[in-house]
Amino acid sequence: MSGENTMYISDIETSGKDCKRKGYGRDVMKALVAKADMFNITLELDAAPQSKSISLDNLYKFYTSVGFEQSGMSNHPYRMRRLPKRTNML
């Protein structure tokens, strides 16, 4: 369930042939989750491929690799959530 300290990620996409498979999306996600951890923010998103270049299964694997899990919300089957990790950065 979304709460007060929850941020929904609407879209993250790399575009252009020169940007594919270079790690730019991963870099953005790493920076985003680091900031979310700093401020104790839960992240949510709906895993939905924006193009045919990535399968839903690979998208799940990508988001899982940066700490997201399926939310278990039956009315949002593609919803994933990442709870903040404790950090000493503040």
Side-chain angles (χ1 to χ4, degrees), residues 5 12-13 15-17 39 42 62-64 70 74 80-81 90:
N5 289 336
I12 291 183
E13 180 181 4
S15 60
K17 291 181 181 180
F39 294 99
T42 297
F62 170 74
Y63 288 127
T64 300
Q70 288 186 303
S74 60
M80 297 186 81
R81 178 179 292 132
L90 285 179

Side-chain angles (χ1 to χ4, degrees), residues 41-59:
I41 295 172
T42 297
L43 298 174
E44 289 187 350
L45 56 81
D46 288 318
Q50 300 296 314
S51 71
K52 294 178 183 177
S53 66
I54 188 166
S55 68
L56 181 58
D57 188 49
N58 284 340
L59 197 55

Side-chain angles (χ1 to χ4, degrees), residues 14-68:
T14 55
S15 60
K17 291 181 181 180
D18 294 340
C19 294
K20 300 290 183 190
R21 312 284 314 159
K22 302 258 181 170
Y24 300 141
R26 181 169 303 281
D27 290 345
V28 168
M29 288 303 295
K30 283 182 174 181
L32 193 68
V33 298
K35 289 293 182 184
D37 288 346
M38 284 177 62
F39 294 99
N40 198 37
I41 295 172
T42 297
L43 298 174
E44 289 187 350
L45 56 81
D46 288 318
Q50 300 296 314
S51 71
K52 294 178 183 177
S53 66
I54 188 166
S55 68
L56 181 58
D57 188 49
N58 284 340
L59 197 55
Y60 273 127
K61 287 177 185 175
F62 170 74
Y63 288 127
T64 300
S65 76
V66 292
F68 284 82

